[in-house]
């Protein structure tokens, strides 16, 4: 009789496959709030924008269905064609430069932190601090630093006699993606650049 009681006790305990009382799938409910937020703020806007691209659009409401006419205009008419390819080129430069630079900087920092140098703990703190700051705060700080009128970078350049290097850094038309890419690499890798 004691053996029978023990075997039923063992069956009632949670197994890694079944969960407690067979409620293995109850765990998936914990993912539901994050999934709802992700779908609402990421998937739905992308899908909605894609659907709206097949309609006439006045900026406030969707008009009649026009099929691929918006895409034909985008790739054939001026100024849309030039603006699209310029913007696409900036994005390619931004993402390619960011990925390569993030990997290279992160690898070099990892090598430096794992080597035998003095003040290793200090460098670990300095490199990880930007990860603790919000991306919004970092963006705001960069807008202050790179401001063409009162920004710290232009002010510094004027004080050291390099006035000709001072410019509107974020509004400069030749290479805007390299500047935004460098700030993204800085926050992602831990460098305060």
């Amino acid at each position: 009789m004691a053996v029978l009681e023990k075997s039923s006790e063992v069956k009632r305990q949670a197994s890694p496959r079944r969960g407690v009382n067979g409620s293995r799938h109850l765990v998936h409910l914990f993912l539901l709030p994050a999934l709802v937020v992700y779908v609402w703020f990421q998937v739905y806007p992308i899908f909605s924008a894609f659907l709206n691209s097949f309609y006439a659009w006045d900026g406030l409401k969707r008009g009649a269905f026009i099929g691929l006419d918006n895409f034909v205009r985008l790739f054939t008419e001026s100024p849309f064609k030039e603006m699209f390819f310029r913007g696409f080129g900036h994005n390619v430069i931004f993402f390619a430069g960011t990925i390569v630079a993030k990997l290279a900087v992160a690898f070099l920092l990892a090598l430096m932190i794992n080597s035998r140098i003095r003040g290793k703990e200090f460098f670990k703190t300095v490199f990880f601090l930007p990860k603790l700051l919000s991306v919004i705060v970092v963006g705001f700080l960069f807008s202050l630093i790179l401001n063409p009128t009162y920004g710290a970078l232009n002010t510094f350049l004027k004080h050291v006699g390099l006035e000709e290097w001072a410019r509107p850094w974020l509004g400069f038309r030749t290479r805007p993606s390299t500047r935004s890419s460098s700030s993204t690499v800085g926050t992602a890798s831990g460098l305060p650049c």
Side-chain angles (χ1 to χ4, degrees), residues 93-179:
I93 292 169
F94 173 79
F95 286 115
T98 301
I99 289 169
V100 170
K102 277 183 187 180
L103 290 174
V105 169
F107 182 71
L108 292 173
L109 291 177
L111 280 176
M112 188 175 91
I113 287 175
N114 288 319
S115 66
R116 296 177 191 239
I117 61 169
R118 287 184 69 186
K120 181 163 68 169
E121 298 302 318
F122 171 75
F123 288 118
K124 285 181 183 179
T125 304
V126 168
F127 293 152
F128 190 68
L129 193 60
K131 291 303 254 184
L132 300 176
L133 296 175
S134 168
V135 174
I136 296 169
V137 172
V138 172
F140 178 69
L141 288 175
F142 270 94
S143 70
L144 290 178
I145 292 170
L146 300 176
N147 187 297
T149 309
Y150 56 83
L153 181 60
N154 282 345
T155 305
F156 172 76
L157 290 173
K158 289 174 185 172
H159 277 59
V160 296
L162 298 171
E163 295 90 11
E164 67 274 0
W165 286 18
R167 61 192 50 163
W169 293 99
L170 295 176
F172 201 51
R173 293 181 69 89
T174 57
R175 295 252 183 226
S177 49
T178 54
R179 281 175 286 287

Side-chain angles (χ1 to χ4, degrees), residues 77-99:
E77 291 182 17
S78 242
F80 306 119
K81 180 171 70 171
E82 292 84 12
M83 289 169 38
F84 172 76
F85 287 113
R86 186 181 321 125
F88 185 75
H90 286 307
N91 281 327
V92 167
I93 292 169
F94 173 79
F95 286 115
T98 301
I99 289 169

Side-chain angles (χ1 to χ4, degrees), residues 43-107:
V43 176
Y44 173 72
I46 292 171
F47 185 70
S48 176
F50 178 72
L51 284 181
N52 285 335
S53 69
F54 295 107
Y55 289 87
W57 182 257
D58 66 357
L60 296 175
K61 61 181 177 158
R62 186 169 28 177
F65 180 79
I66 57 172
L68 296 174
D69 287 349
N70 285 331
F71 293 102
V72 170
R73 284 182 63 204
L74 176 68
F75 291 115
T76 58
E77 291 182 17
S78 242
F80 306 119
K81 180 171 70 171
E82 292 84 12
M83 289 169 38
F84 172 76
F85 287 113
R86 186 181 321 125
F88 185 75
H90 286 307
N91 281 327
V92 167
I93 292 169
F94 173 79
F95 286 115
T98 301
I99 289 169
V100 170
K102 277 183 187 180
L103 290 174
V105 169
F107 182 71

